[in-house]
Amino acid sequence: MSDFSIVGGVAEIHTPELYRTWMDRPDYIDAVAASPDPGTEAVKRLVIEFEAELARLVRDRTVDKQVREVMERYTVDDYVQHDPNAPGNGRELLIEFFRHVPLDRGTPPPVVGVTVEGELACVMMREPAPDPVIPGATYDWNILTLFRVRNGRLSEHWSAYPKRVPGEGPM
């Protein structure tokens, strides 16, 4: 049995280890990015690789050394940010914002699905989370984020995360 399967365009993860290693698994990234349309597959691969690069920076604690290189490779100079936790627009502010991401919260969650419509790519990530209703239980927390892609780069971002109060809740 494989450690993941794709069901209806969404990855179902069967082994906990894949939550920690997804960003280093070309077979996983290829499967999640797959599309019969080459343009759609290119956009899916762009956003998955961006999230994988960011996950590796956090996991490897190399944000300070490599965040500029990653952001310059994937985003436009005048990147528009709609995340209520971010300080504003532009690649420079994005770089500075990402330099303050907590590195002690474990590996960022895997991308399990991407839906593309025109310039927009909706990314779904998933991680097990404590169930707020059933003590001791967990559930699959699905996290959605939306990017606009122009000319092969990320140009705009909307986040589903609520406004974060320092010291409270997930990042």
Side-chain angles (χ1 to χ4, degrees), residues 53-74 95 98-99:
E53 290 272 5
L54 295 180
R56 285 190 287 271
L57 291 181
V58 170
R59 179 198 63 199
D60 299 343
R61 298 178 179 268
T62 58
V63 172
D64 282 340
K65 295 176 186 171
Q66 297 177 322
V67 68
R68 177 169 298 283
E69 174 191 335
V70 169
M71 294 303 179
E72 287 177 352
R73 187 173 337 126
Y74 288 95
I95 291 168
F98 206 80
R99 287 186 195 278

Side-chain angles (χ1 to χ4, degrees), residues 46 76 119 149-155:
L46 173 75
V76 298
E119 293 183 329
V149 177
R150 283 204 204 117
N151 300 322
R153 289 206 171 175
L154 305 176
S155 65

Side-chain angles (χ1 to χ4, degrees), residues 85-140:
N85 298 296
N89 297 326
R91 182 191 297 145
E92 290 305 315
L93 288 176
L94 178 64
I95 291 168
E96 189 56 32
F97 174 68
F98 206 80
R99 287 186 195 278
H100 298 285
V101 168
L103 301 178
D104 60 351
R105 295 190 181 205
T107 305
V111 173
V112 295
V114 180
T115 301
V116 176
E117 180 67 33
E119 293 183 329
L120 299 177
C122 182
V123 179
M124 181 169 57
M125 295 168 279
R126 179 178 296 148
E127 68 180 342
D131 191 309
V133 178
I134 304 169
T138 61
Y139 75 106
D140 287 336

